Amino acid sequence: GFTGPLELEIGSGAGGHALEYCRRNPGVRFVAFEWRKKYARDTQMRAEKAGLKNLRVVESDARFVVPRIFAPGSLDVIHLQFPDPWWKRSHAKRAVVQPDFAKVMLGLLKPGGRFDMRTDVQDRAVAMLEILEAAAFHNPLGAGVFHPYDPEEVPSTRERRYLASGEPVYRARLVKSAP
């Protein structure tokens, strides 16, 4: 219902990041995808109770729906926070960051658009960063380099626990280069 930057969060979980981000950034149009019904519905209900007009939650698997509802070059930022690591080899195909979907996400971003990723699993962080950089995402700090914590960032519920305990979080802030 208004203009402003369009941002996507894939796998919003319990909604801690989405809700706080939208509260701090009321001019951003924010779409959060979550496949777990309970989390998706609870997050949308909490947004409505808080009067957040800039958040919409979609209860679906982002890998299949995102390419259908967003036009190429329409997104300013894509957030991916603590995706399921899918430990078993037979489940690896369920991971969000796969080579084909990385190319789809790159195509959905505007030139200069940002991909913000965070995880606590080092192996997955390294693998995701390699896939994203191979898909032509640009890492301003250099290939394979993770970004430091920025206190101005909005942490997810899970990330707040890691910040309190001092456990590592692997972050990447990648950009889509201008053509």
Side-chain angles (χ1 to χ4, degrees):
F2 62 94
T3 59
L6 180 59
E7 299 189 18
L8 166 68
E9 182 174 18
I10 298 174
S12 62
H17 176 261
L19 292 163
E20 181 61 18
Y21 192 89
C22 289
R23 187 188 68 73
R24 289 189 196 181
N25 300 284
V28 168
R29 298 174 296 151
F30 198 94
V31 180
F33 269 77
E34 176 54 50
W35 66 269
R36 291 169 289 195
K37 183 187 308 185
K38 178 188 181 329
Y39 288 150
R41 292 182 182 178
D42 182 58
T43 300
Q44 187 65 58
M45 185 176 60
R46 289 168 53 206
E48 290 166 7
K49 282 184 180 177
L52 297 174
K53 305 286 186 204
N54 59 335
L55 173 60
R56 294 293 175 267
V57 182
V58 179
E59 180 187 318
S60 185
D61 188 330
R63 296 173 300 163
F64 304 111
V65 180
V66 163
R68 293 184 188 158
I69 66 171
F70 292 102
S74 64
L75 295 172
D76 292 276
V77 180
I78 298 174
H79 304 268
L80 179 66
Q81 307 225 3
F82 299 89
D84 291 333
W86 300 111
W87 301 108
K88 294 182 182 178
R89 185 182 302 229
S90 62
H91 293 172
K93 64 183 177 275
R94 297 178 187 169
V96 171
V97 178
Q98 300 282 348
D100 289 343
F101 194 59
K103 290 175 189 169
V104 167
M105 291 186 292
L106 182 70
L108 295 175
L109 283 171
K110 293 177 179 177
R114 185 169 41 96
F115 186 90
D116 176 29
M117 176 194 83
R118 301 175 206 175
T119 184
D120 58 322
V121 181
Q122 185 177 14
D123 295 359
R124 282 299 298 147
V126 169
M128 288 189 292
L129 193 54
E130 287 174 358
I131 290 169
L132 293 164
E133 290 173 348
F137 279 95
H138 172 69
N139 188 339
L141 297 184
V145 178
F146 290 102
H147 289 69
Y149 171 67
D150 178 353
E152 296 297 315
E153 292 177 337
V154 177
S156 67
T157 305
R158 186 170 185 164
E159 186 172 13
R160 281 193 292 272
R161 289 194 312 256
Y162 288 113
L163 291 170
S165 70
E167 293 179 66
V169 172
Y170 303 93
R171 297 171 181 82
R173 288 182 214 101
L174 309 174
V175 294
K176 178 178 180 176
S177 299

